[in-house]
Amino acid sequence: MKHATVVLASSLLFATAARAADPGPASRGKILVVASNPAVSKQTGWPIGLWAAELTHPYLEFTNAGYEVDVVSPDGGALAFDAYSDPEHESGYSAGDLISLGFKHSKKHMAMLENSRKLSDVKLDDYRAVFVVGGQGPMYTFRGNKAVQDAVVKFHAAKKPTALVCHGTTVLLEAKLPNGKLLVDGKRWTGFANSEEDIADKAVGQKIQPYRIEDEARKLKGTTFVVKPAFSSHAIADGNLVTGQQQNSGVEAARLVIAMLEKAK
């Protein structure tokens, strides 16, 4: 009974916020959110996907500011939350995430994830910014994915806000500009930290990720990878590149994107 009451309350709160945030005819433009397709972790054997809060929290920030949001994925089709990011997962890890709980119980909003468009099928020029969300899935589905890399590079080259959070920043380990240099060359940026990987590994009793973003980032020359204390909100803007450290940084990263868009008006 208590759970049902919480679900109802969060659903009503989310629905109210979403209605208030509906950009309607006065939309300030569209923001493209890129999320991972479902996969299976070769490390754990778990089904994996996107981290709920990294999509739902920025979504509300963007729509509250008057922007439309389209969710796409590399392959299109149905998307799935990482289990530990689901506020109704038996672990209770994200039980306090009422925004994601409300999103999950909104048919209108979950429909965005039931049949996502394929990234290559959308016209990137129609969007004012891109926001790449993380989760466990990107470590497999974004690494080495040229379509995702090329989309991020195109937004960045067009001087549009180009944001990536958490494990979504794995794209920046490989994304290169037309001149052959890494997009992050000369940039300050962040992503999921080793301290956070340590905490996650200890919690489940095994190594979760096939590699660590911080380890790989620190091997790159000419770039500066910056992290703050584990699971604190931390986002960096360097030029039109915006990066967020982990799931608690999505709102801060979204607000940096919004500030850039407002400045560009």
Side-chain angles (χ1 to χ4, degrees), residues 22-245:
D22 186 353
S27 170
R28 294 183 177 181
K30 298 197 292 184
I31 294 174
L32 187 68
V33 170
V34 182
S36 173
N37 291 103
V40 176
S41 170
K42 295 179 181 178
Q43 291 293 128
T44 63
W46 300 339
I48 54 177
L50 65 99
W51 196 269
E54 294 170 29
L55 184 149
T56 63
H57 292 228
Y59 172 87
L60 269 188
E61 290 294 319
F62 292 140
T63 53
N64 271 324
Y67 296 94
E68 298 176 72
V69 174
D70 286 345
V71 180
V72 301
S73 58
D75 299 330
L79 306 182
F81 293 148
D82 278 332
Y84 280 87
S85 75
D86 184 335
E88 295 181 298
H89 186 255
E90 60 186 11
S91 67
Y93 185 84
S94 297
D97 184 1
L98 298 185
I99 290 176
S100 293
L101 183 62
F103 190 104
K104 183 181 177 182
H105 285 271
S106 165
K107 291 183 179 179
K108 172 186 174 182
H109 293 90
M110 284 303 288
M112 299 169 64
L113 309 186
E114 291 172 358
N115 189 25
S116 67
R117 293 179 66 187
K118 189 175 181 179
L119 174 59
S120 60
D121 289 342
V122 301
K123 188 176 179 181
L124 301 184
D125 290 341
D126 289 343
Y127 297 89
R128 296 191 63 192
V130 66
F131 195 93
V132 179
V133 303
Q136 294 184 53
M139 298 293 276
Y140 293 93
T141 65
F142 288 175
R143 192 75 191 265
N145 192 311
K146 194 171 187 303
V148 178
Q149 293 172 21
D150 288 350
V152 167
V153 169
K154 182 170 182 177
F155 273 94
H156 186 263
K159 307 297 184 184
K160 296 179 178 180
T162 305
L164 308 91
V165 296
C166 196
H167 289 101
T169 58
T170 190
V171 176
L172 298 175
L173 298 174
E174 300 173 310
K176 291 185 178 181
L177 304 174
N179 63 10
K181 289 187 177 181
L182 285 169
L183 188 155
V184 292
D185 185 67
K187 297 284 189 181
R188 293 178 72 255
W189 59 293
T190 190
F192 208 76
N194 282 348
S195 60
E196 292 156 346
E197 297 286 14
D198 287 340
I199 292 170
D201 288 355
K202 184 177 181 180
V204 302
Q206 69 176 102
K207 178 182 176 183
I208 297 176
Q209 301 299 349
Y211 57 91
R212 291 185 169 190
I213 289 173
E214 182 173 352
D215 284 343
E216 297 304 306
R218 296 198 185 285
K219 294 176 185 176
L220 303 177
K221 295 181 179 179
T223 188
T224 304
F225 191 80
V226 183
V227 298
K228 291 291 179 70
F231 297 109
S232 59
S233 177
H234 177 222
I236 295 175
D238 190 332
N240 60 312
L241 177 67
V242 175
T243 50
Q245 187 167 316

